[in-house]
Amino acid sequence: MSKEISEMSYEEKSKKPSLVGMITHPVEQFERIRKRPHIWKALIMIMILFGIGASLGSLGMDIDYGELRLTEDEKEMVNVFTRGTVIVIGFISPLVIILILSVIYLIIA
């Protein structure tokens, strides 16, 4: 009897949430998500996509130096620093966005 219960609880623990289940049995699916959260893979993928987008966007940047009298080396240094900063912010921005949205959600709910 206890073996059947342990096998049943193992089967229940090993079930993953499904998209069709979200439509037919949403409460059960949310309980499965609560028991087995898998946020890290998705978060890392989103960060990588944001970083790629930021790096591609930084390639198209054209910096206007205005009236600054910079040498070519200084201009190149400004370009590298600016593009590096854009890429780093591109990687970090999903974390900040999720944090802000979570705080708003906690205030509303």
Side-chain angles (χ1 to χ4, degrees):
M1 178 78 174
S2 63
K3 185 177 181 182
E4 291 175 5
I5 294 173
S6 65
E7 286 178 8
M8 200 165 67
S9 64
Y10 175 74
E11 287 178 9
E12 186 65 32
K13 288 180 184 177
S14 66
K15 287 186 179 178
K16 296 181 181 178
S18 68
L19 189 59
V20 175
M22 290 299 285
I23 297 169
T24 58
H25 299 28
V27 175
E28 181 181 331
Q29 301 305 316
F30 282 122
E31 288 297 324
R32 289 179 183 172
I33 291 171
R34 183 177 295 144
K35 290 177 185 175
R36 298 180 54 185
H38 294 286
I39 187 72
W40 297 113
K41 288 180 185 177
L43 183 62
I44 289 171
M45 287 181 359
I46 295 296
M47 287 176 63
I48 289 170
L49 288 175
F50 266 69
I52 291 170
S55 63
L56 291 175
S58 71
L59 292 175
M61 286 183 359
D62 186 28
I63 300 173
D64 182 23
Y65 299 106
E67 296 180 10
L68 295 175
R69 296 179 185 156
L70 299 175
T71 65
E72 289 301 318
D73 290 338
E74 291 171 336
K75 287 180 182 180
E76 185 63 30
M77 186 174 64
V78 169
N79 283 338
V80 169
F81 180 76
T82 304
R83 288 188 175 131
T85 304
V86 167
I87 292 170
V88 168
I89 289 174
F91 276 111
I92 294 174
S93 63
L95 296 173
V96 174
I97 291 169
I98 290 171
L99 177 66
I100 292 171
L101 290 176
S102 297
V103 168
I104 292 171
Y105 178 75
L106 286 174
I107 290 171
I108 292 173

